[in-house]
Amino acid sequence: MKTVVLAGILAVAAAVVAAPQSAAKPRGSEPVYDFAQAVRETAWVDIGLDGDGDGRSDRVAADIIRPKEPAAQGKKVPVIMDASPYYSCCGRGNESELKTYDSAGRPVGFPLYYDNFFVPRGYAVVLVDLAGTNKSRGCTDIGGPSDIESARKVVDWLNGRANGYTTATGPARTNATWSTGAVGMIGKSYDGTVANGVAATGVEGLKTIVPIGAISSWYDYYRSDGANLRQGSPAGLAQTVSQRNGGQNCSAANRKLTAGATSNGDYNAFWLDRDYVQSASKVKASVLASHGLGDLNVKTINFGQWWEALNVERKIWLTQAGHVDPFDYRRSAWVDTLHKWFDHYLLGVDNGIEKTPGASVEREPDVWVDQPAWPAGSAVTLRPASGTTPGVGTLGSSPGTGTVSFTDSSGQSSNSWAARPTETSNGRVLFSTGALAKDLHVSGTAKVTVTATPSTSTARLSAILVDYGPATIRNYTGPKEGIKNELTQSCWGSSASGNDACYLNTSTDAVSVGLNIISRGWADLANHGSLSQESPLTPGQPYTMTFRLASTDHVVPQGHQLALIIGGTDGSFISGPAQYPKITVDLGKTSLALPVAGAGPSAVPAALPVAPAQIAPATVSGLERG
């Protein structure tokens, strides 16, 4: 039997109860309601769409757990909502929890700790099955109108603006008379993505969102500046999440997904429907976000572009880990922050959470620093120049001259390009700063401009930023992307039969390295003029293209070197061109816009490490891992 450690929840509860409170700052919510007696029920909400073409408007299932006492006293409660396609196929959280039901179909097991912790504190928790998944009707459309309406209409229902029913097909209505209408959406990965999308509609009643490792543009999940990322396909993901849902015919909906996600990598109306950044100006909800700087599933460009487009109260946590929930890398602090966040934005408690620093960043494993905001930097321009070794040069403020070349081919990867930085490589060119005279804080989204001449009519470009120097970092390419499961558990709230509050403890999975790839980016040179329309390339003609690298926040320490590597097809992440070219780079017309806090890099000439130890080869994992 596993040892259950109650210290976590007791410490949090004690902090809530014992903390001194002034008259101006009321106490936070406390666990005063009986979780075992909580109301557990399901409402089916009409979303006004017919995704499966059966002639009936689709209804989505919203499983609800709420404290019994407030309703009996005529009081209403706010709602914490997690809308997901994963409740019957793939599970939620580190332990892949699924929803469970009793013999009458009443919800019993609510994945994750939100219900255990918050229902006793006077919140309702509502877990919504996206259309076409678990108990909901219709078909999923991978971030499109069906997914977003699945959750937005539930917000409307909680505010008395949409129709809810007691069954999936019957006529009996049900109303959320117990709801204050104040809703906070939360979720990791796909779930947090839906929260972003619903917030981008500006729906009334949505007071806050907590997206964790979430997508802001599905184009930037499946594509990168014209290049196809190795992430599977929208139709494939739809089949994964709907495979346990019976009765609907979603073949037509899946054909639309295949037709819309064109193979050429162009940005089109399909992707626009799934690009929430374009509607960020409509967001009225506050945002508490978390993202892994080592997330190679939902690439960090997704939080970077979303964050810079928002104009609301917001706070972000950035960890060295990969696609990991903060509950599993900084548990006690996260639950405390989340508690205060929901208390403030859903209950109106004046606890000062909105005045805390805007960004919390993990600099080393389990070493966190606060900074006023993210990004902390503004762009400086660095330029590559040739050195004494062919294909290995310098990165500084002065423009280079002449050209350098490399030959693209299958089987190349960013890890192999970085492995021997002192050597000429047929597959890439490398430019480094020299040994930094002081720490260099890179914070934001870098862009690289490359003027390249291909030898064929198709070409891919890849660029990476590498921190060369010894360090200990989270093992973000490891089996659990920077964490390890322990044998003990800790409990975070109240338990009931079939629904316990206890979860495996985790610890840090760290690794010592001699280099760390801190940012990656990819592009199809055929999209040099427009992401919406690729243009055939003429062999021997130069093209200039600017493309983005992954958003980051990283300090390159004094004595380390920062390098820019430019190559062709990074096979770990993107698919190759029809014909692999030799690519010639014009150094005088190539540059890196690097976001840094303070001045740009100052450095002295220094030899690069011959073959530095590096983190294990990166792998791409599908979103269905959640």
Side-chain angles (χ1 to χ4, degrees), residues 17 28-35 67 69-70 117-122 494:
V17 173
S29 61
E30 299 183 35
V32 297
Y33 299 114
D34 187 345
F35 185 70
E69 297 90 337
F117 188 86
F118 285 103
V119 170
R121 287 169 167 78
S494 302

Side-chain angles (χ1 to χ4, degrees), residues 166-457:
T166 59
T167 62
T169 58
R173 297 277 186 92
T174 183
N175 298 316
T177 55
W178 45 266
S179 167
T180 65
V183 180
M185 291 188 67
I186 188 171
K188 179 192 166 197
S189 200
Y190 202 135
D191 307 15
T193 301
V194 174
N196 284 342
V198 174
T201 69
V203 62
E204 293 293 336
L206 184 62
K207 302 299 184 183
T208 192
I209 61 170
V210 185
I212 301 165
I215 295 167
S216 61
S217 166
W218 283 88
Y219 178 87
D220 290 301
Y221 181 74
Y222 285 108
R223 307 286 186 261
S224 177
D225 289 289
N228 289 336
L229 291 167
R230 296 187 181 278
Q231 294 285 89
S233 69
L237 181 55
Q239 291 167 2
T240 296
V241 301
S242 61
Q243 63 184 359
R244 288 173 174 79
N245 179 254
Q248 292 97 303
N249 183 349
C250 291
S251 57
N254 288 343
R255 286 195 295 271
K256 289 180 181 179
L257 293 176
T258 299
T262 55
S263 60
N264 62 8
D266 287 355
Y267 183 96
N268 56 22
F270 176 87
W271 300 117
L272 180 61
D273 267 351
R274 293 157 175 80
D275 187 346
Y276 315 131
V277 180
Q278 299 300 318
S279 299
S281 62
K282 297 180 182 178
V283 175
K284 293 177 284 189
S286 63
V287 181
L288 171 61
S290 169
H291 213 106
L293 294 171
D295 194 337
L296 302 178
N297 181 354
V298 178
K299 311 296 189 294
T300 58
I301 191 66
N302 278 280
F303 90 78
Q305 62 189 358
W306 179 242
W307 205 248
E308 296 195 63
L310 292 172
N311 186 28
V312 294
E313 290 185 348
R314 55 190 177 156
K315 181 177 175 66
I316 192 166
W317 282 24
L318 297 173
T319 173
Q320 287 189 346
H323 200 54
V324 181
D325 193 302
F327 185 72
D328 295 315
Y329 64 72
R330 200 185 182 194
R331 184 167 296 182
S332 180
W334 175 250
V335 175
D336 183 56
T337 298
L338 193 61
H339 181 199
K340 291 175 181 174
W341 191 268
F342 281 145
D343 274 5
H344 179 70
Y345 288 103
L346 298 182
L347 288 175
V349 177
D350 182 15
N351 55 24
I353 188 68
E354 80 282 8
K355 299 174 184 176
T356 57
S360 190
V361 184
E362 189 178 29
R363 288 277 172 255
E364 302 172 25
D366 300 312
V367 177
W368 290 80
V369 299
D370 289 335
Q371 57 195 44
W374 188 92
S378 55
V380 298
T381 300
L382 300 179
R383 301 180 184 279
S386 294
T388 56
T389 300
V392 178
T394 60
L395 186 65
S397 56
S398 300
T401 58
T403 62
V404 291
S405 298
F406 57 87
T407 301
D408 196 11
S409 64
S410 63
Q412 299 194 51
S413 73
S414 49
N415 280 70
S416 62
W417 292 336
R420 292 178 172 79
T422 62
E423 300 176 11
T424 300
S425 169
N426 288 333
R428 58 93 173 118
V429 290
L430 182 151
F431 310 94
S432 64
T433 59
L436 293 173
K438 59 181 180 180
D439 291 354
L440 178 67
H441 183 187
V442 180
S443 179
T445 305
K447 295 180 180 180
V448 62
T449 298
V450 179
T451 297
T453 301
S455 64
T456 66
S457 60

Side-chain angles (χ1 to χ4, degrees), residues 419-572:
R420 292 178 172 79
T422 62
E423 300 176 11
T424 300
S425 169
N426 288 333
R428 58 93 173 118
V429 290
L430 182 151
F431 310 94
S432 64
T433 59
L436 293 173
K438 59 181 180 180
D439 291 354
L440 178 67
H441 183 187
V442 180
S443 179
T445 305
K447 295 180 180 180
V448 62
T449 298
V450 179
T451 297
T453 301
S455 64
T456 66
S457 60
T458 58
R460 304 288 186 267
L461 291 173
S462 300
I464 62 174
L465 295 178
V466 188
D467 175 353
Y468 283 101
T472 299
I473 64 174
R474 281 192 186 262
N475 186 17
Y476 61 86
T477 66
K480 295 193 75 67
E481 302 184 46
I483 64 168
K484 294 183 290 186
N485 285 344
E486 300 296 329
L487 296 178
T488 58
Q489 293 181 315
S490 57
C491 302
W492 298 83
S494 302
S495 295
S497 178
N499 188 357
D500 73 73
C502 304
Y503 292 85
L504 290 175
N505 290 316
T506 63
S507 59
T508 299
D509 180 12
V511 61
S512 295
V513 297
L515 70 85
N516 186 13
I517 298 174
I518 64 171
S519 188
R520 298 171 167 87
W522 312 273
D524 183 345
L525 190 57
N527 289 98
H528 63 276
S530 168
L531 289 185
S532 300
Q533 181 64 56
E534 64 179 22
S535 304
L537 303 175
T538 300
Q541 180 175 322
Y543 299 92
T544 299
M545 185 172 188
T546 298
F547 58 99
R548 305 160 300 164
L549 306 188
S551 306
T552 192
D553 198 292
H554 178 86
V555 173
V556 186
Q558 178 182 351
H560 284 210
Q561 300 197 42
L562 177 69
L564 168 67
I565 296 177
I566 300 173
T569 301
D570 182 353
S572 296

